[in-house]
Amino acid sequence: MMGYADTKQVGSGLRQRLYSRAFIVGDIKHPEDRFVYLVLDTQSGDTAVRYGILEELSKLGSDFAVYGQHNVAVTGTHSHSGPGAWLNYLLPQITSKGFDKQSYRAIVDGAVLSVKRAHRSLQPGYLTVGSTKVFGANINRSLYAYLANSEEERARYNESSEDDGSVEKTLTLLKFQRASDGKNTGVLTWFPTHGTSMLGNNTLISGDNKGVAADLFEKSFSASDNVADDFVAGFSQANVGDTSPNVLGAWCEDGTGAECSFKNSTCSDGKSQFCHARGPFFRVKDNGAASCYEVGKRQYEPARALYDNLDTEGSPVTGSSVKSFHIFQDMTNFTFPLANGSYVHTCPAALGYSFAAGTSDGPGAFDFTQNDPGAPNASPVWRVVSGFIKEPTEAQKRCHYPKPILLDVGEISSPYLWTPNIVDVQVLRVGQLVIIVSPGEATTMAGRRWKEAIHSSASSLALSGSPSVDPVVVIGGPANSYTHYISTTEEYGIQRYEGASTLYGPYTLNAYINLTLKYLPYLSSSSTTRPLPGPSPPDNVNRSLSFITGVVFDDTPIFKHFGDVKTDTRPAYSIGDIVSVTFVGANPRNSLRLEETYAAIELFDTPTSRWVRVRDDSDWALIFNWKRTSGVLGTSEVEIVWETEEWAVPGRYRVKYYGDSKAVGGKIMAFEGVSGEFILA
């Protein structure tokens, strides 16, 4: 799986199916001016995935020729409970046993399909933007580093005890409405909280709290609501870097009951392994599922309330002008001036010792600690290992100071680059709305500085078309590539996880701001040109290593068939009970059943004497668990669990399993399994 960098976190089933949600905005008068904003239920955007999406779009004919490098943004919701092995660079591949083309193709194909559907539904319409506050869905997990920013700057965002500025509580919502019948076709939101509600011991795939919020929003409408049949809700990340959805804070699970150290998130033994952040329902032993659902709900509810009142609380996006730019920038030694006139430069990518400490959302596996800018207290063995991989030069050490370099990843090209040195710089605009597309995880204050710089410049350039219309600036990501973190220089000096994971040195944020401001004039309504694209990053799809073994074959126990019931349901359940059935199964990797389902709940409809599907594996309450019972014999079983909701309809039900088995010769055959019938009352 991708997110916690734990080789032991291997997927075993599905809690919620993952989606790509595509939003296209175009200028009616100039149809060639448009942009695509993709929200993928993945850990991040990615260079290889973006290359794949653009390549497939280029094959779709002249109608899709308008989509290219300059106007396609590929963002991830930053879920830490999705499959891994699809990223372009070596470092994130290491803990997922390399690169897997099945995962990669699923993401690319799903993203392209969503763009095709969005393209087909393009028609004149209206955009409305508004904002609201979201409470109880995020805290700052690196508050010690945040406090290194000046008190004067922090005070500007301290509005109340509940909204003290340590994280952003503002959710921005963009509503899409078609002109033909006035129906709403979708919403796109931006709000920062990490996709770490599902814990590091979870092995079920899900979109984490953003996936929950999107699903709740999309399923909240009735037939009488003024929405299109294909209404889409995208819950995009914002300046997510130092945020956590585990809002009860970080505590030591070592028997002391103490809070983790404020400075470095360690416990009484001086190590970080027992320091774990707690979600709203941390006492429920479900690997974070109850907390995940709650934090998703806490984002959905204010977003839906804002949506319902947007006519009075929002503002129309004015002017039809749509612009975008995208360039690639080599960050190995980008020199630029600061506001005071002094020149600084970025560095080849490197990660500090505190990177390996992890965070309270997911502590590292070794003896590293956060906030370790001086002499790292990790075992001396690690200094030897670090030097063996690549000893940084004195110039590199000076460039990254005060970061002590653990992994000099930007200067390792064997067998191919470990992390990106060439980064995406992209900004999108429609009317007064400006979207910064960030390839890294900007911290709370880093995101604010970036947005304020863009807001000030957009105002002076009158990008919105009228000096009287105030620009609305949001930040979305991690997108297009994955460049780890973007912290302020003050936070960088503290060298907690976020600072240690800021790849290009202490002036990384300043570089991003400089570059976006440099190219911002290309977003003016009068602009008819694009900036030069810059140096292209490598596409490692066909050269990436893979140590992931394929499915050899599936078989059944003697006298059994695929889909046979091993443990059936009870005859009757009460609403709120857990329904469970176990089938003779096969490896789900034989077919990802894209656009389909592995599991379903069917309700008997008496008037028509038909079984009607009422749940599938996109529903949070329906869980698909797979387990290999014998690697030698190739046998496995599938458990399908329905956590019946309080709103479930009483009636006569059954459970269905859809599987695919692989024979010794390689042939894959689909099969089905059906449970006994049961009454829910």
Side-chain angles (χ1 to χ4, degrees):
M1 296 175 73
M2 177 59 200
Y4 288 109
D6 186 350
T7 56
K8 299 185 295 296
Q9 192 187 21
V10 178
S12 67
L14 192 60
R15 178 96 212 192
Q16 182 189 44
R17 196 163 277 267
L18 307 185
Y19 289 93
S20 167
R21 294 172 169 91
F23 299 83
I24 302 177
V25 178
D27 187 331
I28 292 177
K29 296 179 181 178
H30 305 280
E32 70 279 6
D33 288 339
R34 66 180 71 180
F35 63 75
V36 181
Y37 191 92
L38 282 161
V39 183
L40 310 182
D41 286 335
T42 57
Q43 181 267 349
S44 64
D46 173 69
T47 300
V49 165
R50 188 169 183 270
Y51 271 138
I53 293 168
L54 293 174
E55 180 182 358
E56 293 303 314
L57 288 175
S58 71
K59 298 175 183 178
L60 296 178
S62 58
D63 281 357
F64 289 83
V66 69
Y67 305 118
Q69 285 280 11
H70 67 289
N71 64 356
V72 176
V74 183
T75 80
T77 60
H78 206 45
S79 169
H80 283 46
S81 52
W86 45 266
L87 286 102
N88 191 55
Y89 295 95
L90 182 65
L91 184 63
Q93 294 176 3
I94 290 173
T95 52
S96 59
K97 296 184 179 180
F99 187 87
D100 181 55
K101 285 197 174 180
Q102 185 183 40
S103 283
Y104 164 80
R105 288 268 29 128
I107 297 170
V108 169
D109 293 347
V112 171
L113 179 58
S114 68
V115 174
K116 288 168 65 177
R117 289 176 175 168
H119 180 84
R120 284 199 301 265
S121 69
L122 271 172
Q123 57 182 283
Y126 310 99
L127 296 173
T128 309
V129 65
S131 64
T132 188
K133 295 290 186 180
V134 175
F135 296 108
N138 63 356
I139 61 169
N140 195 309
R141 69 184 185 191
S142 282
L143 189 58
Y144 184 75
Y146 175 81
L147 293 176
N149 298 304
S150 75
E151 183 177 359
E152 179 184 6
E153 184 178 28
R154 288 185 281 110
R156 290 166 51 200
Y157 305 100
N158 189 343
E159 297 183 13
S160 65
S161 58
E162 195 174 18
D163 187 8
D164 63 4
S166 58
V167 287
E168 292 204 342
K169 300 293 186 183
T170 298
L171 177 145
T172 301
L173 182 146
L174 181 67
K175 184 182 78 172
F176 294 70
Q177 182 183 29
R178 63 192 183 201
S180 58
D181 56 8
K183 288 191 174 183
N184 297 327
T185 59
V187 295
L188 180 54
T189 75
W190 292 269
F191 175 78
T193 190
H194 248 85
T196 51
S197 289
M198 300 300 292
L199 305 178
N201 57 359
N202 162 64
T203 57
L204 296 176
I205 300 303
S206 81
D208 211 272
N209 56 68
K210 293 285 186 184
V212 169
D215 189 59
L216 287 172
F217 205 115
E218 289 169 352
K219 293 176 178 175
S220 66
F221 299 103
S222 65
S224 61
D225 287 308
N226 189 41
V227 298
D229 293 338
D230 56 354
F231 184 97
V232 172
F235 277 73
S236 189
Q237 279 294 358
N239 41 333
V240 64
D242 49 4
T243 66
S244 172
N246 297 307
V247 293
L248 298 186
W251 297 79
C252 293
E253 297 179 358
D254 57 0
T256 64
E259 286 190 84
C260 302
S261 162
F262 180 60
K263 289 187 177 183
N264 61 10
S265 298
T266 58
C267 292
S268 58
D269 61 357
K271 297 182 179 180
S272 60
Q273 279 70 46
F274 290 110
C275 177
H276 290 277
R278 295 176 175 178
F281 294 103
F282 76 95
R283 294 190 186 279
V284 180
K285 303 303 179 185
D286 60 0
N287 303 332
S291 292
C292 181
Y293 189 85
E294 178 64 21
V295 172
K297 184 180 175 186
R298 291 179 185 182
Q299 291 170 78
Y300 152 69
E301 289 180 339
R304 179 60 205 261
L306 173 62
Y307 167 87
D308 289 338
N309 296 290
L310 202 60
D311 289 343
T312 56
E313 296 181 13
S315 301
V317 174
T318 57
S320 63
S321 178
V322 177
K323 295 291 181 179
S324 63
F325 74 77
H326 174 281
I327 62 108
F328 290 115
Q329 174 66 46
D330 189 341
M331 291 287 239
T332 53
N333 186 13
F334 171 55
T335 303
F336 60 97
L338 296 176
N340 61 12
S342 63
Y343 276 78
V344 294
H345 61 91
T346 55
C347 329
L351 292 159
Y353 273 70
S354 296
F355 158 77
T359 71
S360 53
D361 287 336
F366 304 105
D367 50 349
F368 298 92
T369 61
Q370 296 191 72
N371 182 26
D372 204 3
N377 61 12
S379 165
V381 172
W382 282 102
R383 299 185 194 182
V384 176
V385 172
S386 173
F388 178 75
I389 295 172
K390 167 69 173 66
E391 177 67 31
T393 64
E394 290 303 314
Q396 178 77 326
K397 290 177 183 178
R398 287 194 301 271
C399 191
H400 280 274
Y401 181 83
K403 177 200 293 176
I405 296 174
L406 173 68
L407 296 173
D408 191 16
V409 285
E411 297 187 306
I412 308 175
S413 57
S414 179
Y416 43 92
L417 278 173
W418 286 41
T419 56
N421 280 322
I422 296 174
V423 306
D424 298 74
V425 179
Q426 187 176 37
V427 182
L428 316 173
R429 181 182 73 80
V430 51
Q432 74 268 35
L433 177 66
V434 181
I435 306 170
I436 304 167
V437 183
S438 173
E441 300 178 52
T443 63
T444 298
M445 195 62 84
R448 285 170 176 159
R449 292 183 188 176
W450 199 349
K451 287 188 293 183
E452 285 186 6
I454 297 299
H455 181 275
S456 176
S457 183
S459 297
S460 64
L461 292 170
L463 289 187
S464 60
S466 170
S468 63
V469 180
D470 193 40
V472 177
V473 183
V474 295
I475 186 169
N480 294 334
S481 185
Y482 182 59
T483 63
H484 292 256
Y485 282 72
I486 305 169
S487 62
T488 67
T489 52
E490 295 88 345
E491 294 160 354
Y492 185 91
I494 298 299
Q495 280 296 293
R496 278 179 63 94
Y497 177 81
E498 294 79 13
S501 302
T502 296
L503 285 182
Y504 310 111
Y507 299 107
T508 297
L509 170 63
N510 306 79
Y512 279 118
I513 292 174
N514 175 277
L515 288 162
T516 45
L517 290 178
K518 176 182 178 180
Y519 295 105
L520 206 64
Y522 284 97
L523 301 185
S524 69
S525 300
S526 59
S527 175
T528 57
T529 60
R530 299 174 195 158
L532 295 175
S536 297
D539 183 353
N540 295 323
V541 167
N542 293 319
R543 62 185 302 202
S544 289
L545 301 174
S546 181
F547 301 95
I548 301 169
T549 56
V551 180
V552 179
F553 72 100
D554 295 286
D555 207 348
T556 64
I558 192 168
F559 304 127
K560 292 287 186 180
H561 301 89
F562 290 112
D564 283 357
V565 174
K566 295 182 71 174
T567 306
D568 210 346
T569 60
R570 301 199 309 261
Y573 295 88
S574 298
I575 291 176
D577 286 350
I578 295 176
V579 177
S580 174
V581 57
T582 305
F583 298 93
V584 175
N587 196 313
R589 284 198 291 153
N590 292 325
S591 170
L592 300 183
R593 295 197 157 262
L594 303 178
E595 298 284 292
E596 299 175 1
T597 188
Y598 289 118
I601 301 295
E602 295 184 336
L603 172 65
F604 188 75
D605 182 57
T606 302
T608 61
S609 297
R610 292 173 52 249
W611 288 98
V612 179
R613 182 183 295 180
V614 292
R615 305 283 189 283
D616 60 28
D617 62 18
S618 71
D619 290 287
W620 185 260
L622 188 61
I623 307 163
F624 175 82
N625 295 295
W626 174 81
K627 181 172 69 174
R628 178 67 84 187
T629 53
S630 173
V632 175
L633 300 177
T635 56
S636 58
E637 66 181 28
V638 162
E639 181 192 29
I640 296 174
V641 177
W642 180 25
E643 298 174 343
T644 61
E645 310 91 342
E646 61 182 20
W647 47 266
V649 177
R652 180 176 152 203
Y653 288 90
R654 68 182 186 184
V655 181
K656 287 200 75 172
Y657 163 42
Y658 299 89
D660 301 88
S661 63
K662 185 175 185 179
V664 174
K667 185 177 181 180
I668 294 175
M669 295 287 292
F671 64 86
E672 296 179 5
V674 184
S675 76
E677 298 175 13
F678 60 92
I679 300 299
L680 185 68

